[in-house]
Amino acid sequence: MIRHDRYSIFSVLREALRGQSGWGPAWRDASPKARYDVVIVGGGGHGLATAYYLAKRYGINSVAVVEKGWIGSGNVGRNTTIIRSNYLLPGNIPFYELSMKLWEGLEQDLNYNAMVSQRGVLNLYHSDAQRDAYARRGNAMRLHGVDAELLDRDAVRKMYPWFNYDDARFPIQGGLLQRRGGTVRHDAVAWGYARAADRLGVDIIENAEVTGFRSTGGRITGVETTRGIIGAGKIGLACAGNSSRVAAMAGLTLPIESHVLQAFVTEGIKPFVDGVVTFGAGHFYISQSDKGGLVFGGDLDGYNSYAQRGNLPVVEDVIEGGMALMPRIGRVRLLRSWGGIMDMSMDGSPIIDKAPIAGLYLNAGWCYGGFKATPASGLCFAHLLARDEPHEVARAYRLDRFRTGHMIDEKGMGNQPNLH
Amino acid sequence: MRISCPHCGERGLAEFTYLGDASVTRPDPGLPGAADAFYAFAYERRNVAGLMQELWYHQAGCHAWIVVSRDTRTHEIFNVRLAQDVALERSKSSVSHAP
């Protein structure tokens, strides 16, 4: 039997006196039951958040999350931990702003320290045209009630006097700042949602890989897993990176390609950069973890991949961007690099919709913006699963938008997933 | 990852640009159901986990389009052919199979 401790200053003090001997596991090691009202495929951030909101807000407690590995082994533990809602298009802004609002209350809601840190996200611009584009983006955000400030060169210099402002090719002219953006401890998001969902009766079933679907009369009625067959009233896929593979088992072909995105962390150093900064002339973004490591990344490798590792040309490109922006990182040693597999959709935006098969629901196509979307993705997917209609802020994320011409293409790249 | 270009030999990845799945072909707009076929052509992808035929462009080399057979799980490359040869072969086989 698991103890349902509430984490608080008192429990921390109590355990300090007891030599930390009284903490129980954060969630049960559940074995699959024969049937649930809802089975979520994928125990990443989105799947766990979906299960949590189903139980907490929609009163559906007969829920299982099936995960092929262990909790935190996928993209929720492989991203660069940034949260922001600095989007341009009407289909996106309200959704990501809902996510930001959920982040702001997440720790109290889950009773879990996810280290939500609203340290500000600054996107630098390096030309007049880029300034105009950021002014437009900032205005779109403010029209939707999202905070945004367009800074000139002097204002940026006040925040970060040590950037390379006079780079011969790409001098910094200013930046678009969202002060409410920042970082969150990514593993803690998975653990916090898992613990909170478990407490509401959700079964989290690890090491259960889905190998097929059961259907009767055209309706999906269960999943076959490596830990047996599990019946389900409804099945939600939240397995971005591998959405195409799982959907193919149900006979679906999705408008998605899987691509590898690399990330990097350096050795721990003293406080160096206190916000999230992106270089606008290449693709490089950086923040510093509380342990002191510089966490940074850049572009996709650009070819289809299911290998959780990338190649050297992108490493070189990312680090060139970093050196152009902040030459003083040149002597910091890289500690590790890794890759995560992204569901790159055909317009760069996600899909939260019913599948064209009864009983099956899709949460897919998160491209490389999935982490910041975790709370809203979970809430909107739970809404769809519980009510059979889209959440107000996720109405645009339809599967058929590619057929009907209602794409949400923030970068205007068309149907070339590796460019989004 | 290094790619052996049929014209230039083995070269670094940075010389090449990726387009995507080489098994996707443009449908005939005159056939019935062409709208659905064009939707699938533009947007639906098999997104193979395993051996995949891919179109790459040797941008910093001979400017040839090539078809690379590569395992998307390991990045191992098994075969590289000129896209022109693959297309010619495909058109021949589609003519010979015509009713």
Side-chain angles (χ1 to χ4, degrees), chain A residues 37-180:
Chain A
D37 289 346
V38 178
V39 170
I40 309 291
V41 179
H46 290 221
L48 294 166
T50 304
Y52 171 70
Y53 291 117
L54 271 172
K56 172 91 175 189
R57 296 214 186 177
Y58 296 95
I60 299 175
N61 298 74
S62 167
V63 178
V65 177
V66 294
E67 162 58 40
K68 73 175 175 183
W70 67 92
I71 296 304
S73 62
N75 289 335
V76 73
R78 304 179 82 85
N79 58 76
T80 45
T81 79
I82 295 164
I83 61 168
R84 56 184 175 85
S85 55
N86 54 356
Y87 280 73
L88 175 68
L89 298 179
N92 277 332
I93 302 179
F95 174 84
Y96 285 100
E97 179 56 14
L98 172 64
S99 208
M100 183 60 79
K101 290 198 172 113
L102 290 169
W103 284 121
E104 287 171 333
L106 186 78
E107 293 163 310
Q108 290 71 28
D109 193 24
L110 299 182
N111 178 230
Y112 203 93
N113 180 11
M115 296 163 69
V116 177
S117 165
Q118 293 182 287
R119 55 183 69 182
V121 172
L122 176 65
N123 303 124
L124 298 172
Y125 59 80
H126 308 262
S127 67
D128 292 353
Q130 203 171 22
R131 179 200 58 216
D132 293 349
Y134 277 155
R136 181 183 174 216
R137 178 178 294 262
N139 285 334
M141 290 162 65
R142 292 173 75 129
L143 284 170
H144 282 84
V146 183
D147 70 307
E149 292 166 51
L150 194 68
L151 306 183
D152 61 13
R153 180 186 168 100
D154 289 341
V156 173
R157 203 188 273 271
K158 221 173 249 178
M159 293 175 73
Y160 298 104
W162 47 272
F163 285 171
N164 180 8
Y165 288 86
D166 303 312
D167 181 280
R169 282 182 72 193
F170 306 113
I172 295 168
Q173 290 195 10
L176 181 66
L177 175 66
Q178 185 183 19
R179 289 191 195 274
R180 287 162 64 240

Side-chain angles (χ1 to χ4, degrees), chain B residues 59-81:
Chain B
Q59 188 172 29
C62 62
H63 289 199
W65 281 96
I66 54 178
V67 174
V68 177
S69 305
R70 192 179 62 96
D71 192 326
T72 57
R73 296 165 302 182
T74 61
H75 298 167
E76 188 180 354
I77 293 172
F78 294 95
N79 187 19
V80 181
R81 301 175 66 198

Side-chain angles (χ1 to χ4, degrees), chain A residues 209-230:
Chain A
E209 182 169 359
V210 169
T211 53
F213 291 97
R214 289 283 166 123
S215 63
T216 317
R219 185 183 175 85
I220 298 251
T221 54
V223 282
E224 296 164 9
T225 77
T226 48
R227 292 183 67 179
I229 296 163
I230 306 171

